[in-house]
Amino acid sequence: MRFQDLLAYRKSFDLAMRIFEVSKSFPKEEVYSLTDQVRRCSRSVSANIAEAYGKRPYQKHFISKLSDSDAENLELQSWLAFALSCKYLEKHIFDELMEESHQVGKLINYMMANPQKFGSKQN
């Protein structure tokens, strides 16, 4: 299996691409703040899953990188809340993105709770 085959990776990657598209409509004055932050942390979720998969032989490292991914996913939710409050997102889009983020979080937490299912060995 490759990291690209992991459901958590695929869903987080798709979410990051959706956020990229949605954030294109954010105001120009947000390019170096909110737009940049929401894009960077959304991409970081899947990047950390990929890194974690590379560390899977070392359970503590695997879980640590997944924890980083989970933290980035929570940061993403915070930035989405700002985008909604600033009226850059419509409520139904916000709700959809948050639901996708929650699903990604559940997958990441499943991986952390079951590292052996992903090739991680206790060390």
Side-chain angles (χ1 to χ4, degrees), residues 21-87:
E21 290 301 323
V22 167
S23 65
K24 285 180 179 180
S25 67
F26 289 3
K28 294 291 182 209
E29 63 267 16
E30 292 287 3
V31 167
Y32 298 108
S33 52
L34 183 60
T35 304
D36 184 52
Q37 287 294 332
V38 75
R39 287 178 179 177
R40 290 194 320 143
C41 66
S42 70
R43 292 171 181 165
S44 188
V45 175
S46 51
N48 277 301
I49 292 169
E51 286 184 52
Y53 194 72
K55 297 289 186 181
R56 70 190 181 284
Y58 314 100
Q59 190 173 58
K60 289 179 183 175
H61 294 291
F62 178 70
I63 293 171
S64 176
K65 289 309 294 181
L66 288 172
S67 178
D68 292 345
S69 182
D70 191 46
E72 292 289 343
N73 192 46
L74 292 171
E75 180 183 344
L76 169 61
Q77 292 174 15
S78 177
W79 288 119
L80 290 173
F82 277 108
L84 177 66
S85 291
C86 293
K87 299 184 180 13

Side-chain angles (χ1 to χ4, degrees), residues 78-119:
S78 177
W79 288 119
L80 290 173
F82 277 108
L84 177 66
S85 291
C86 293
K87 299 184 180 13
Y88 302 154
L89 287 177
E90 293 179 25
K91 177 75 164 98
H92 76 279
I93 300 293
F94 169 80
D95 290 341
E96 290 171 8
L97 295 172
M98 288 295 283
E99 179 56 30
E100 289 178 44
S101 178
H102 286 128
Q103 292 302 315
V104 168
K106 288 178 184 179
L107 292 167
I108 293 168
N109 281 284
Y110 178 82
M111 292 175 72
M112 287 191 291
N114 301 282
Q116 68 286 353
K117 292 186 178 185
F118 299 91

